[in-house]
Amino acid sequence: MKAFQYLNPKTLPEALAAMALPGSVAYGGGTNLLDLMKTGAATPDGLVDLTGVQALQSITLDDAGNLRIGAAVRNATLARAPLLRAHAPMVAEALLSGASAQIRNMATVAGNVLQETRCPYFANPDAACARRDGGQGCDARVHAGREHAVIGWSEACRAVHPSDMCVPLVALDAKVELSGPEGVRLVALSDFLTLPEETPNRRNLLGSGEIITALVIPAAATALAGQSRYLKVRERTSFAFALVSAAAAVQIAGGKVIRARLALGGIAPKPWRVPEAEEAMVGRAATPETYRMAAEIALQGAAPSGDNGFKIELAKRTVARAFEWAAADVPGLGRDLPASVFDTIPEA
Amino acid sequence: MSGLEFVVNGAACGVALEDPRVTLLDLLRDRLGLTGAKKGCDRGQCGACTVLVNGARVNACLTLAVALQGAEVTTVEGLSEGGNLHPMQQAFLDHDALQCGFCTPGQILSAIGLMNEGESGDDVARVREGMSGNLCRCGAQPGIVAAVQEVLQAHSSGSR
Amino acid sequence: MPDDFRKITPDADHGFSIAAPPRRFGTGGQSAARRDGLAKVTGAARYTADVSPAKALHGVIVSARIARGRVAAMNVAAAMAHPGVVEVMTPQNRPPLAQHPDEKRHPFNFRHEALQDDRVRYAGQAIAMVLGDSLEAATEGARLLAPVYEAEVPRIGFDAAEPWTPQMVGFFAPATHEIGNIAKGLADADVVSEITMDTPAQFHNAMEPHAIVAEWVQEDGRARLLLDTPNQGPVMTAGLLAGYLGIAAEDVVLRTPFIGGGFGSKLMIYGAMVLTALAARAQGRAVKTVLTRAQMYGPVGHRAGTRQKLTLGVARDGRLTALSHDVQALTSSFEDFVEPAGRASQHLYAAPNLAMSHIGLRGDIGTPLAMRAPGEASGSAALEVAMDVAADAVGLDPLEFRLRNYAEVDPSTGQAFSSKALRECYAQGAAAFGWAGRPLAARSMRDRRGRLLGWGMGTAQYLCTMYRGEARVILRGDGSAVAEVAGVDMGQGAWTILAQTAAEGLGISPEKVLLRSGSSVLPDGSVAGGSGHTATAGTALSEAGKDVVKQLTALALNDPKSPLFGAGNSGVLAVEGRLLRADNPAVGEAYVDIMARAGLRDLTGTGVGERAAENAEKYAMFSHGAVFAEVAIDPDLGQILVTRMVGAFAAGRILNPRMVQSQLEGGMIWGLSFALHEEAVFDPTSGKVLNDDLAGYHIPVHADIPAIQTMTVEEIDPFVNALGVKGVGEVGITGSVGAIANAIRHATGYTPTKFPIRIEDLPL
């Protein structure tokens, strides 16, 4: 591992000053960045440890009812927070389905957003990877596997954003609060994470010297809290990334959908949300056919990037199942078990 | 050179830390002689290095030592008191919850972390899920889950 | 720190001793708790990487990131310039070896890479070694070397590899075998069913990475190498390593008291081991090298990928008329190990026409080697699926079909089995599982949640390996004993069971036996592999104990002061530290009294454990079992959960039921892992294993592992060895893979053609 300077600011201004040093990178739990430093895929000159900044530690509801989550809040802390469970339980469900209990105790929410793809070529500095170094090469062009994208990918990059947490956050219109030399700005999470297209190494809209200071889940999410689920499909039942996952929320009145939210994970370079799929559901009967229709729209344009075409149909089925469960859900239910197929199929 | 002051197994500990690259795991193993936590992958993927930091289970291999100023760290060496094992250690013996033993300290610390979290009860599915960050290659999982369940049961019924 | 929790350290003569634990820390008796358990739950167990000699250098191996070609350049200057880097060893400056790493003087001289040249023959091989004052410095030095390669296109996978016809497969087993006439057998069949099965490369992935701590010391006026390293054959490996270093075998002291899992991967000689010893000699300092997890995907063996074809001819009455098992197995370009998968079908079912064949496929990969149940695991996986396909073809229940083809003698040799309680395993396992009433048709069961349910079974079989081992038992004047053997405990319970066998031979309570083990300076108990360690080392210890009893008997019978004087004709019994007249057990004398009178402070016996040649010739010897599994499958999403497993096994005499249960469960979990999880994926561009870590290479987590029930059917086997024990470490995998695959087949109608079985394979 390359030698680096370690800085541990206590206040936000100190943090921003530290970030202004050349080669500085924000550091949270280290569960992804330190790992990449060990493989040689990341070689920062300085780590700015944000976990000691008090201002980044809180989970609060503002007067307008938006839930504000400090950047340095640990994944496990957030997953257990009563405020989150009331406001957006499927985010808690997604968090608990990710990684291991140990990792969740360490990883911060900002780090979760900024975590890198687990495409094996990314972590291997000897492999060609445009996403890592901005070059033209991509060894996944020759060999893309089950873990690679089936939608939103480009010839430059077939990688998948690995987060579970971000999938329901994108579905719920969450925003990222960024602080930097130019001040504070709010960006929709779905815009903040970018598609590879021409510049695959620009993986998000983080500006130079900027840090994430908070995630904000809008007040409107609470209306969907009672009918929302995160469902994650993977072969190893725990401690594995999603093959496909879906965050689905649906508000139903008189048997008809009045509002729906949907995002998918495991299939695209960022959490995949198609507003047209949600809109098409409105006014239709809350039935499996409607959910399948939404899934078809959401996956329009999907194409295998390698030996992974099966994920397209699997994703559609996962969407349909997630909506079925969301529709059948009990408002306010907190879930301690992760979003596994096995633990959550309602008994017939 | 920066000085790291923290508490290890209940005792204050000061270390001159000249290199910020040192992980908690390497600090414990190479510099403090506490080799109970194991390096199975060094990448947070196996759980063999699990220790408690301020009561919460973490992977010591992905924790920078320099970030632990003032923290309280508990390793397997700090579990027994006097001549008595921690109930989790005793349960691992009673249920033959180990074979090669390499993952064992991590399993035990993780199980204690699970108990501290206080959410799983003794439900077997939750115990299995809660322990899934700790791999065991020998296949001692049936014994491990039985041991953890037993201790959680005793813990939740207050009979400890 | 209380004495009980103290670190396990070597004695002055480099051996390790563990006594029976105080009772409050574990039960005694036949089902005794692990002697090493206390050390393992307190962190006091001493694994190699826990050893840190004063001023030890840290060694870091630099691994090739290409699979074929040569290293054109390395930036040695950059590495040397990094603070804390002490030395960079490359082919240019590597000290000489007395034996070339590719020279084979002994079958276990595995060809390896110790910087003999700049060639790269697989990804992950050693191409340099960096020594540093700290691990951090050496690791960064290794990164700064930034090797430049001249890469050639690697030969990866079945299509690119080059076929070759081996004479031998596995360790010295014939590559082909045929009895009867397959073509005729197939012609006689009413139904011919054929399946193909691909199995992937799998890596042992013991939780403990390979590690070496080497330190040269002056003892008795000469240089000796103290080598701490986890190793499954300490005496053999010490001798082999001495050959490369040009020193006498006894000048390598290999210490291996605790092994954090082996599974076959710690039987090898590999570059890092030789290089660490060399570096320590050159530097005059101890050197500690620990492989990274990624470095375990290449130089330390793996289970080879196979492509198998099984052709079964079946008569309408359900009897096999022919069984042919043809195997292609991937291997390296420079060694000759071929996965002996075909062996799995040669001794199990009574096919009158029976054959196997093997083809090696050479590619640019590390040498595959034995991995828990080598041959049988992969072969049984394919065979058991083939059996279910054939059973379907004649409309028979899978268990009934297997019973109709029950082999009363070894079908490939005609030998009688030394013992075989497989029928009882079938019956007891089926009863415990509730197999009766299983519907024949696929997709005919659902659980209350609407999930597809399937029940499958498989037969388990594994050969009873036995080597030649030696041991020593020393009876002390106080009635206690020290049992000495270079035994190997990698989790199977050798610390416990070996003490029990010594105690049994000696006729004293196991609690009175201190086991001294884990070091090459002790009598050679042979290797721990092939499920033969307890049989070999255990028999040797038992015999050594009997040798002591024999000497005691001679003393007593010839001593007029002994109550046993003159009892020679009636014989004596050794019970609880006393010799008793066989014809009148009320008359006897304690060992301590016999020794005291003879003025002996201790009495040493030696023993050899090996199979009687006449029995080996006359009998076929196998452990057997029957495994039953249930799976639940989401009908839309295809996610598979194994919901329960039952295994009934017959493995000779069960020495310690507690250890045996653990071994059998572990094997069954390996079967689950084989069926559903494990698969190394090779990058066609670089030839590197892409998922060379524990996040990408999946082994099951707690949440994947269901309730498992095991039971044993005890067999009395007077032929297999003097103890009557068979192996239990590997048999649990065989049968289990097939049982799960067949359960999936039953749930979905899908006949697997490859492992692991994936969501996308299922017809949903």
Side-chain angles (χ1 to χ4, degrees):
Chain A
M1 192 193 307
K2 200 182 88 164
F4 57 84
Q5 199 181 2
Y6 173 82
L7 298 165
N8 55 341
K10 298 292 172 216
T11 67
L12 197 50
E14 281 173 25
L16 291 176
M19 286 299 292
L21 299 170
S24 280
V25 171
Y27 189 80
T31 53
N32 184 224
L33 179 53
L34 186 57
D35 183 33
L36 291 171
M37 289 162 67
K38 288 182 179 189
T39 71
T43 54
D45 294 314
L47 295 184
V48 181
D49 186 347
L50 299 176
T51 60
V53 179
Q54 206 51 48
L56 305 180
Q57 306 286 358
S58 53
I59 304 169
T60 51
L61 264 186
D62 70 14
D63 293 344
N66 303 308
L67 186 70
R68 188 179 183 285
I69 303 153
V73 170
R74 311 279 178 176
N75 283 206
T77 309
L78 179 60
R80 294 190 186 112
L83 276 177
L84 180 79
R85 294 207 169 189
H87 197 90
M90 69 172 163
V91 177
E93 200 174 12
L95 281 164
L96 290 174
S97 77
S100 65
Q102 290 93 319
I103 298 282
R104 296 193 293 269
N105 279 339
M106 304 162 72
T108 63
V109 296
N112 189 316
V113 172
L114 292 172
Q115 68 178 304
E116 301 292 0
T117 182
R118 296 319 196 276
C119 171
Y121 298 107
F122 184 91
N124 171 6
D126 293 326
C129 176
R131 190 179 183 91
R132 186 182 64 242
D133 60 20
Q136 297 301 306
C138 169
D139 280 348
R141 267 179 224 148
V142 182
H143 182 276
R146 314 170 81 235
E147 69 272 30
H148 286 100
V150 293
I151 199 163
W153 57 275
S154 74
E155 276 309 303
C157 184
R158 290 157 157 79
V160 162
H161 193 267
S163 171
D164 291 300
M165 178 192 80
C166 290
V167 178
L169 284 179
V170 162
L172 295 173
D173 293 314
K175 294 179 174 52
V176 182
E177 183 192 275
L178 302 167
S179 299
E182 314 292 321
V184 179
R185 60 186 180 128
L186 271 180
V187 181
L189 177 59
S190 59
D191 296 331
F192 177 75
L193 298 171
T194 56
L195 289 178
E197 294 171 344
E198 285 88 43
T199 53
N201 62 326
R202 184 163 169 75
R203 304 181 289 269
N204 55 58
L205 297 181
L206 200 64
S208 173
E210 246 181 352
I211 58 171
I212 295 177
T213 42
L215 305 179
V216 180
I217 307 177
T222 51
L224 295 159
Q227 295 88 30
S228 61
R229 292 308 295 261
Y230 181 70
L231 174 60
K232 179 172 178 178
V233 178
R234 47 184 163 169
E235 273 137 351
R236 188 160 83 175
T237 309
S238 184
F239 205 9
F241 292 98
L243 264 180
V244 302
S245 71
V250 60
Q251 229 177 329
I252 299 165
K256 288 195 180 356
V257 174
I258 55 172
R259 198 145 63 117
R261 291 288 179 268
L262 170 66
L264 289 109
I267 60 165
K270 65 182 209 174
W272 195 250
R273 183 172 174 196
V274 179
E276 292 79 5
E278 300 167 357
E279 287 150 20
M281 292 172 68
V282 175
R284 292 190 182 252
T287 59
E289 292 71 29
T290 297
Y291 307 144
R292 177 74 196 193
M293 176 209 67
E296 295 287 350
I297 297 171
L299 272 296
Q300 254 169 34
S305 64
D307 191 15
N308 54 19
F310 74 95
K311 284 168 71 171
I312 299 171
E313 174 62 21
L314 184 60
K316 291 175 185 174
R317 293 179 178 204
T318 305
V319 167
R321 177 71 65 77
F323 270 123
E324 281 171 45
W325 287 0
D329 214 342
V330 184
L333 181 74
R335 297 179 197 94
D336 296 323
L337 281 171
S340 159
V341 171
F342 297 112
D343 299 315
T344 46
I345 297 182
E347 298 256 345
Chain B
M1 191 174 291
S2 69
L4 171 66
E5 301 284 336
F6 68 145
V7 177
V8 181
N9 296 330
C13 180
V15 194
L17 200 59
E18 72 284 5
D19 189 338
R21 291 177 296 186
V22 178
T23 61
L24 171 59
L25 181 60
D26 289 331
L27 180 82
L28 291 169
R29 292 179 51 79
D30 290 349
R31 301 173 196 227
L32 301 180
L34 296 171
T35 55
K38 301 294 183 230
K39 187 183 284 190
C41 72
D42 208 26
R43 299 185 62 186
Q45 299 167 350
C46 78
C49 67
T50 303
V51 299
L52 303 181
V53 172
N54 299 328
R57 46 185 168 158
V58 302
N59 298 120
C61 72
L62 287 183
T63 302
L64 287 177
V66 70
L68 290 175
Q69 203 64 252
E72 282 188 35
V73 175
T74 305
T75 72
V76 72
E77 289 90 347
L79 292 181
S80 49
E81 283 177 39
N84 296 314
L85 296 176
H86 186 285
M88 196 66 79
Q89 292 173 306
Q90 186 67 49
F92 269 60
L93 290 181
D94 295 343
H95 289 273
D96 197 33
L98 54 94
Q99 286 187 23
C100 84
F102 197 80
C103 74
T104 306
Q107 301 274 2
I108 289 172
L109 268 300
S110 188
I112 295 170
L114 178 69
M115 187 168 77
N116 292 348
E117 288 156 20
E119 290 161 349
S120 63
D122 58 357
D123 175 71
V124 69
R126 287 172 194 230
V127 169
R128 285 184 183 138
E129 167 56 33
M131 291 297 295
S132 282
N134 293 79
L135 303 183
C136 166
R137 182 54 156 167
C138 295
Q141 287 91 345
I144 295 170
V145 168
V148 177
Q149 255 188 302
E150 182 190 88
V151 178
L152 292 189
Q153 204 163 31
H155 185 67
S156 57
S157 68
S159 64
R160 234 185 100 194
Chain C
M1 176 135 322
D3 277 1
D4 294 332
F5 302 163
R6 219 178 264 151
K7 259 205 182 133
I8 307 287
T9 52
D11 55 41
D13 299 320
H14 311 297
F16 297 85
S17 301
I18 305 186
R23 274 302 169 98
R24 67 200 166 106
F25 296 125
T27 53
Q30 195 195 359
S31 214
R34 290 171 195 274
R35 291 190 164 204
D36 46 339
L38 192 56
K40 286 174 173 174
V41 302
T42 55
R46 178 192 198 262
Y47 301 86
T48 294
D50 301 341
V51 178
S52 288
K55 299 199 172 154
L57 287 169
H58 292 264
V60 170
I61 296 292
V62 182
S63 301
R65 302 270 197 150
I66 64 165
R68 189 182 188 193
R70 60 178 286 270
V71 180
M74 283 188 280
N75 195 346
V76 173
M80 286 298 291
H82 188 73
V85 171
V86 170
E87 175 66 303
V88 176
M89 196 159 40
T90 70
Q92 275 74 49
N93 66 348
R94 189 263 276 155
L97 285 174
Q99 179 181 348
H100 193 279
D102 283 342
E103 186 193 339
K104 246 178 144 62
R105 295 179 190 165
H106 180 282
F108 280 68
N109 271 134
F110 299 114
R111 298 188 179 102
H112 62 273
E113 301 75 29
L115 306 182
Q116 56 263 47
D117 53 39
D118 63 5
R119 284 298 300 175
V120 175
R121 49 194 188 187
Y122 60 91
Q125 81 164 58
I127 55 171
M129 182 181 195
V130 178
L131 302 169
D133 284 323
S134 72
L135 177 61
E136 291 78 16
T139 303
E140 178 62 0
R143 192 182 72 86
L144 291 168
L145 273 182
V148 177
Y149 303 98
E150 279 172 16
E152 297 158 34
V153 177
R155 296 161 294 183
I156 299 295
F158 290 109
D159 298 332
E162 292 170 14
W164 147 74
T165 306
Q167 296 303 306
M168 306 288 247
V169 295
F171 295 115
F172 331 116
T176 59
H177 184 70
E178 180 167 359
I179 60 150
N181 181 319
I182 291 292
K184 182 179 175 303
L186 292 175
D188 291 347
D190 292 310
V191 185
V192 172
S193 79
E194 181 180 299
I195 68 149
T196 60
M197 186 70 75
D198 284 4
T199 65
Q202 299 177 347
F203 285 78
H204 305 79
N205 273 308
M207 291 311 299
E208 177 199 30
H210 292 63
I212 313 105
V213 177
E215 183 174 23
W216 293 80
V217 294
Q218 287 293 322
E219 277 186 6
D220 309 327
R222 58 189 195 201
R224 285 189 108 183
L225 173 64
L226 297 188
L227 190 81
D228 287 279
T229 192
N231 192 278
Q232 295 175 240
V235 176
M236 179 184 77
T237 303
L240 295 176
L241 187 65
Y244 299 103
L245 299 172
I247 58 176
E250 60 268 27
D251 286 337
V252 176
V253 177
L254 195 156
R255 303 186 296 196
T256 185
F258 294 95
I259 302 177
F263 314 117
S265 73
K266 285 167 180 164
L267 257 177
M268 323 205 29
I269 294 277
Y270 53 101
M273 184 190 282
V274 175
L275 292 173
T276 302
L278 271 186
R281 182 156 66 181
Q283 295 294 322
R285 284 168 75 175
V287 175
K288 174 174 179 172
T289 306
V290 183
L291 296 194
T292 64
R293 177 60 53 182
Q295 287 174 331
M296 295 168 74
Y297 291 77
V300 291
H302 67 279
R303 193 195 303 281
T306 68
R307 176 161 287 174
Q308 304 177 48
K309 191 178 90 173
L310 275 138
T311 311
L312 277 61
V314 193
R316 211 164 305 286
D317 66 359
R319 287 178 202 280
L320 287 166
T321 60
L323 194 164
S324 164
H325 195 164
D326 301 296
V327 178
Q328 301 175 56
L330 292 161
T331 190
S332 71
S333 64
F334 55 93
E335 261 289 2
D336 297 339
F337 187 89
V338 173
E339 182 75 16
R343 195 167 64 188
S345 57
Q346 301 303 297
H347 311 282
L348 189 46
Y349 298 115
N353 303 288
L354 180 64
M356 66 166 182
S357 72
H358 292 84
I359 297 288
L361 296 171
R362 294 197 181 281
D364 298 308
I365 58 173
T367 299
L369 269 172
M371 175 162 151
R372 201 171 185 179
E376 273 75 2
S378 312
S380 159
L383 171 66
E384 292 303 317
V385 172
M387 287 295 285
D388 266 36
V389 172
D392 274 0
V394 290
L396 283 178
D397 173 83
L399 176 54
E400 175 58 27
F401 182 61
R402 284 167 175 80
L403 286 169
R404 287 200 192 176
N405 291 287
Y406 194 87
E408 302 293 350
V409 297
D410 184 334
S412 75
T413 64
Q415 290 169 317
F417 289 102
S418 60
S419 61
K420 180 178 176 182
L422 176 57
R423 228 184 270 283
E424 292 78 359
C425 294
Y426 283 141
Q428 293 188 20
F433 184 84
W435 180 262
R438 171 187 177 277
L440 276 188
R443 301 184 81 99
S444 50
M445 299 196 298
R446 299 245 177 179
D447 70 3
R448 287 180 308 154
R449 295 173 167 185
R451 300 182 295 191
L452 294 163
L453 276 191
W455 289 356
M457 66 158 299
T459 309
Q461 186 189 45
Y462 197 75
L463 61 166
C464 299
T465 316
M466 190 155 174
Y467 312 99
R468 184 183 189 281
E470 298 173 359
R472 184 163 53 226
V473 168
I474 303 144
L475 179 66
R476 306 279 196 213
D478 65 359
S480 70
V482 180
E484 297 187 327
V485 66
V488 174
D489 196 328
M490 46 190 177
Q492 79 279 37
W495 276 115
T496 314
I497 294 167
L498 294 183
Q500 288 179 282
T501 59
E504 184 178 293
L506 186 55
I508 66 174
S509 149
E511 280 76 18
K512 292 194 167 170
V513 175
L514 182 75
L515 183 65
R516 196 157 168 260
S517 178
S519 171
S520 66
V521 299
L522 297 165
D524 185 2
S526 196
V527 302
S531 298
H533 192 49
T534 304
T536 306
T539 301
L541 283 163
S542 169
E543 293 299 317
K546 287 182 192 165
D547 185 34
V548 172
V549 171
K550 204 171 115 195
Q551 296 177 53
L552 286 169
T553 305
L555 286 172
L557 297 189
N558 295 318
D559 182 350
K561 296 202 182 93
S562 169
L564 295 166
F565 179 66
N569 292 335
S570 60
V572 293
L573 305 168
V575 179
E576 289 293 319
R578 293 172 64 82
L579 286 183
L580 313 175
R581 275 188 80 116
D583 58 355
N584 181 9
V587 176
E589 186 175 29
Y591 297 173
V592 291
D593 295 334
I594 300 170
M595 290 177 72
R597 226 176 20 251
L600 291 174
R601 290 179 58 198
D602 45 45
L603 189 53
T604 300
T606 59
V608 170
E610 67 186 327
R611 180 163 293 148
E614 65 272 22
N615 291 339
E617 234 162 72
K618 202 165 167 192
Y619 295 103
M621 302 176 183
F622 294 91
S623 296
H624 287 94
V627 181
F628 299 82
E630 178 183 84
V631 299
I633 300 177
D634 186 288
D636 303 316
L637 305 177
Q639 216 169 323
I640 302 164
L641 192 71
V642 179
T643 46
R644 59 196 178 96
M645 292 180 82
V646 173
F649 296 91
R653 185 178 153 217
I654 302 304
L655 276 180
N656 181 326
R658 195 176 169 90
M659 305 295 108
V660 167
Q661 180 187 345
S662 179
Q663 283 300 296
L664 295 173
E665 287 174 353
M668 290 167 73
I669 289 166
W670 271 57
L672 185 157
S673 191
F674 189 125
L676 298 178
H677 295 287
E678 291 186 51
E679 176 179 29
V681 180
F682 288 82
D683 178 25
T685 307
S686 66
K688 175 181 171 297
V689 176
L690 272 176
N691 53 342
D692 58 355
D693 59 49
L694 291 170
Y697 184 98
H698 281 182
I699 61 171
V701 296
H702 284 287
D704 294 304
I705 296 166
I708 295 178
Q709 186 185 352
T710 61
M711 59 201 77
T712 52
V713 179
E714 191 145 325
E715 292 171 324
I716 310 280
D717 192 328
F719 309 112
V720 66
N721 50 51
L723 291 177
V725 301
K726 298 177 172 180
V728 292
E730 297 171 279
V731 69
I733 308 176
T734 69
S736 295
V737 189
I740 290 169
N742 287 332
I744 291 168
R745 189 170 176 273
H746 189 230
T748 65
Y750 162 69
T751 299
T753 56
K754 66 170 189 59
F755 288 102
I757 299 168
R758 298 294 199 195
I759 284 173
E760 62 265 34
D761 300 329
L762 304 180
L764 301 175

